[in-house]
Amino acid sequence: MAVLTVDRPSMPHPPRRIPLLGDLLDVDVTKPTQNAMACARRLGPVYQRKIFNYVFTFVSGADLATELNDESRFQKHVGIALRNLRPIGRDGLFTAYNSEPNWSKAHNILMPAFTQSAMRSYHQTMLDTVRELIGHWDERCDSSPVEVTPDMTKVTLETIGRTGFGYEFGSFHREEQDPFVGAMVRSLRFAQKASFTLPIPLLDRALKRKAIRRNRADLAYMADVVDEVVRSRRANPGEHRDDLLGLMLSAEDPESGERLDDENVRDQVITFLIAGHETSSGALSFALYYLANNPDVAERARAEIYSMWPQGTDPDPTFEQIPKLRYVRRVLDETLRLWPTAPGYMREAREDTVLGGRYPMKAGEAAFVLLPQLHRDRVWGDDPDAFDPDRFLPANVRKRPGHIYKPFGTGIRSCIGRQFAIHEIVMALALLLHRYDLEPEPDYELEVTELLTLKPEGFRLRLHRR
């Protein structure tokens, strides 16, 4: 999250700042988001942190975030965290700079993949994949607990692989992890650690020589796998023509008339495989945690689900039924309020401006919107840490400012797959609640792990068929 922001003495900062290292002693490199949240609780809705020569500005107050979300004044900024992901996604949708032509080209080409008609075509594959998860969990009912987050990762990775690219990882039919998944996880971990580098480049590279070699091999392996998927599709052009890969290979940008080149197709596929499953798996895992630990909420959700598919039946949901699960959707909304799996986004000033009437920002300077803390701002009520899906009743939503809930980002660079993720997650939650009672381990306290996204760590459930 390195930014172009100037060190402003007038802005709050941690108290133990020292020469050269800056605020490094105040940083937890394994849990940077939670560390930043703790700092915001001490220092307030805007503060700066200096690490070596980098200066970071964090914003978590509703008024300031609303300003940063103003597209006429601010735009997406690709800071150090996203720049460290560039070797993975390059100029894919998530990591592209605003000025790169492939961003708008790919965005225009891929928008039809997320229309209602396109979403309808993905529904059955999503349903079949959740049923594979259910089959996997049925084998463990009333016996050993299930590892929630790894299983949610399996189901969401299979979903985006199958619906988007006609590719199966075989997650529920193999004991060992797919090598692509291992390479992907290691490359994300490498990118996260790269955000904290020594100010002496030669020394930094020397200490990381082995990790750098491993990362290069992982990136090459992921590229080879995706290239083979593309070659196979080109050899069989009649297959999956309307999915994401089909659009990437055949559709033209309506503005420029150009198509994506093969390298950018690869970048987009890798971007979707990572972003398309990481955020959804975390959201599902957190939602199951809150449902298991709030049985009254789970029962209200089941009442809605059973009104559509009675208890004891085998649900066969249609595409049109999923948006009618309004309480289940509120469960998801509240989950993403407390733990938005993408923990924030950076915004840079389009031109010289003043933030909050107090903090000057030059054109190109940026600030990080710290979503989990913004979503706990005082505008959410007296107990913002409590889990309460009724915060998202329409009447309550209308009472709040419009720019304080942003789990999918903001502006034209917000998540293109938002509706895909919502449909996938709401359907999965409905089917799992319909089938199982969720028993949490009695001594488990929520532990949030951080990589590209936020997820529960070590969260297990015992399942009981209803």
Side-chain angles (χ1 to χ4, degrees), residues 162-444:
R162 296 175 190 182
T163 58
F165 312 106
Y167 185 85
E168 297 191 15
F169 292 91
S171 299
F172 296 109
H173 306 292
R174 57 192 303 169
E175 291 298 324
E176 73 283 2
Q177 186 183 60
D178 186 285
F180 186 95
V181 178
M184 180 171 59
V185 170
R186 287 191 298 271
S187 66
L188 291 174
R189 188 171 291 118
F190 181 89
Q192 182 183 42
K193 291 180 179 178
S195 296
F196 300 92
T197 59
L198 295 174
I200 307 172
L202 288 176
L203 177 60
D204 188 72
R205 286 195 294 272
L207 293 173
K208 297 176 179 176
R209 187 178 294 112
K210 183 177 179 180
I212 290 171
R213 286 199 301 268
R214 173 77 264 185
N215 187 59
R216 286 173 179 165
D218 286 335
L219 295 176
Y221 178 78
M222 288 193 291
D224 288 344
V225 169
V226 173
D227 287 346
E228 179 55 36
V229 172
V230 173
R231 282 193 294 270
S232 175
R233 179 65 65 87
R234 288 196 188 280
N236 300 278
E239 296 181 6
H240 310 287
R241 286 184 299 174
D242 296 328
D243 63 5
L244 288 171
L245 183 54
L247 285 169
M248 291 180 196
L249 294 178
S250 63
E252 295 180 349
D253 174 14
E255 292 183 4
S256 67
E258 298 176 353
R259 295 183 180 182
L260 300 179
D261 60 53
D262 284 355
E263 285 193 3
N264 190 252
V265 168
R266 178 206 296 159
D267 298 340
Q268 302 296 352
V269 171
I270 292 175
T271 294
F272 273 99
L273 284 174
I274 294 175
H277 93 276
E278 273 283 309
T279 50
S280 295
S281 65
L284 270 168
S285 301
F286 281 121
L288 289 170
Y289 168 82
Y290 284 114
L291 287 164
N293 286 278
N294 293 273
D296 56 327
V297 173
E299 285 309 307
R300 282 186 65 183
R302 284 196 183 96
E304 179 180 70
I305 294 162
Y306 287 153
S307 71
M308 199 169 292
W309 309 291
Q311 185 174 3
T313 62
D314 188 11
D316 188 23
T318 65
F319 175 81
E320 290 77 15
Q321 286 177 313
I322 302 305
K324 296 178 181 179
L325 295 166
R326 294 182 176 87
Y327 188 74
V328 178
R329 169 64 188 276
R330 294 203 294 275
V331 168
L332 172 59
D333 288 340
E334 176 70 346
T335 297
L336 290 174
R337 181 187 70 83
L338 287 170
W339 290 110
T341 51
Y345 50 86
M346 298 201 73
R347 302 285 283 172
E348 69 176 43
R350 293 180 181 270
E351 55 189 35
D352 293 358
T353 188
V354 178
L355 181 66
R358 181 177 178 184
Y359 304 109
M361 294 181 69
K362 296 287 187 182
E365 287 186 46
F368 183 76
V369 178
L370 184 61
L371 281 177
Q373 199 62 31
L374 171 64
H375 290 173
R376 289 168 170 80
D377 185 272
R378 63 185 182 277
V379 299
W380 292 96
D382 295 332
D383 191 6
D385 287 307
F387 183 78
D388 180 9
D390 282 346
R391 294 182 203 272
F392 289 89
L393 284 167
N396 291 334
V397 172
R398 287 193 292 270
K399 294 176 184 177
R400 290 192 295 268
H403 283 276
I404 63 164
Y405 181 67
K406 295 287 184 176
F408 295 95
T410 191
I412 61 173
R413 295 294 301 270
S414 61
C415 177
I416 193 174
R418 173 178 180 167
Q419 295 306 320
F420 181 102
I422 291 171
H423 189 88
E424 170 190 21
I425 295 168
V426 169
M427 180 165 63
L429 290 175
L431 293 178
L432 295 176
L433 283 173
H434 185 278
R435 195 170 189 86
Y436 306 112
D437 279 322
L438 310 174
E439 179 190 344
E441 293 186 312
D443 297 328
Y444 178 76

Side-chain angles (χ1 to χ4, degrees), residues 113-114 118-126 163 242-244 420:
F114 298 100
M119 290 292 300
R120 184 176 281 105
S121 71
Y122 305 145
H123 173 81
Q124 188 60 47
T125 301
M126 290 181 177
T163 58
D242 296 328
D243 63 5
L244 288 171
F420 181 102

